[in-house]
Amino acid sequence: MGKLAALSSIGITGANVFGLYQAGTNTDLEVRSFAPGDGVPEDPVCGSGNGCVAALVRRDGILNTRSYVASQGRCLGRDGLLSVQFEDGTIWLGGHAVTCIEGVLHT
């Protein structure tokens, strides 16, 4: 984590890693997102991280499909699923969320 956090000194916020699941599972890949330099050792479900992974998956043809399901957060005990769809030149991310905290900022 210390080496990842040190990357913030050169403008790198964090790192995403992913791996493919074997056929026959309910998800196509698992994503993990780390940003310790911003105070987030590991994000349980990261939209921007999944967007980056989706761009790479599309660009390099890693999955030959117009949609897939990504898993994230299992290692933190906070399982999440994201649906990813490719439509023309657009990447769409979706899923369900649970509000854990809510507030209003007054200036």
Side-chain angles (χ1 to χ4, degrees), residues 15-28:
N16 298 295
V17 295
F18 71 96
L20 300 175
Y21 277 106
Q22 293 181 354
T25 62
N26 63 344
T27 58
D28 299 296

Side-chain angles (χ1 to χ4, degrees), residues 6 8 18 24 30 34 40 46 48 50 54 65-66 78 91 95 105:
S8 63
F18 71 96
E30 180 171 359
F34 306 94
V40 183
C46 180
S48 59
N50 273 276
T65 182
R66 292 185 53 82
R78 294 178 62 191
I91 297 172
L105 178 63

Side-chain angles (χ1 to χ4, degrees), residues 31-35 40-49 72-73 76 78:
V31 175
R32 296 187 70 187
S33 299
F34 306 94
V40 183
E42 184 170 358
D43 192 337
V45 180
C46 180
S48 59
Q72 191 174 359
L76 298 173
R78 294 178 62 191

Side-chain angles (χ1 to χ4, degrees), residues 1-10 12-14 34-42:
M1 287 297 164
K3 291 196 184 270
L4 278 175
L7 293 174
S8 63
S9 68
I10 59 170
I12 296 174
T13 302
F34 306 94
D38 280 351
V40 183
E42 184 170 358

Side-chain angles (χ1 to χ4, degrees), residues 26 41 59 68 87 93 95 99:
N26 63 344
R59 184 193 74 190
Y68 67 86
E87 184 179 300
L93 300 176
T99 302

